[in-house]
Amino acid sequence: MSEEGRPASHAPLATVKLETNRDVVAARQAVARFMKERNASALRVTRFATAVSEIARNAIVHGGGGEISIYLDATKTYLHIECRDSGPGIEDVTLALSEGYTTAGGLGRGLGGAKRLSHDFEIRPAPGKGTIVSMGVKL
């Protein structure tokens, strides 16, 4: 992940607990609100909010829940999210990111799609302990 995509060393703008589908909507709306407040284009807002939805849904479905924290980087040019869960982790990140790969019978566009919709993307799996997904978007 590029340095400009890293969050500033301050408290998050918001943190959303991920337990139900309603929480996925809340995370998406929070990201969209912060981006709109910083005059991001409608297309960029839609793309990144979609990526956040995918990651949040994965945390609930595969990770048993978790949380998303939203940050603004030190230069205020990137919005950054970090999604954490305490599920089984991702054993093969390369496979999980490949087009068409699915573990839940979906279209197989979740992680790979989220990566394509972000400017910065990183997965830090800890098999048996959970997963941290970090994503950033230039505002």
Side-chain angles (χ1 to χ4, degrees), residues 11-69:
L13 298 171
T15 297
V16 178
K17 276 294 234 188
L18 300 172
E19 296 172 347
T20 68
N21 285 335
R22 237 183 254 172
D23 301 328
V24 173
V25 173
R28 178 185 180 97
Q29 290 173 338
V31 163
R33 183 178 64 250
F34 288 119
M35 290 181 73
K36 288 175 186 174
E37 287 172 0
R38 285 154 183 87
N39 300 314
S41 73
L43 178 60
R44 190 162 286 178
V45 170
T46 299
R47 289 172 58 93
F48 195 64
T50 299
V52 168
S53 292
E54 291 293 337
I55 297 306
R57 191 168 317 285
N58 279 353
I60 293 169
V61 171
H62 302 291
E67 69 178 28
I68 282 186
S69 295

Side-chain angles (χ1 to χ4, degrees), residues 92-114:
D92 187 340
V93 172
T94 302
L95 179 61
L97 287 169
S98 64
E99 187 67 30
Y101 178 76
T102 180
T103 57
L107 297 175
R109 295 199 177 114
L111 285 176

Side-chain angles (χ1 to χ4, degrees), residues 68-103:
I68 282 186
S69 295
I70 305 167
Y71 300 89
L72 191 59
D73 76 321
T75 64
K76 299 184 179 174
T77 57
Y78 270 75
L79 191 75
H80 179 82
I81 68 102
E82 187 171 271
C83 182
R84 296 175 172 268
D85 69 48
S86 55
I90 300 172
E91 289 190 32
D92 187 340
V93 172
T94 302
L95 179 61
L97 287 169
S98 64
E99 187 67 30
Y101 178 76
T102 180
T103 57

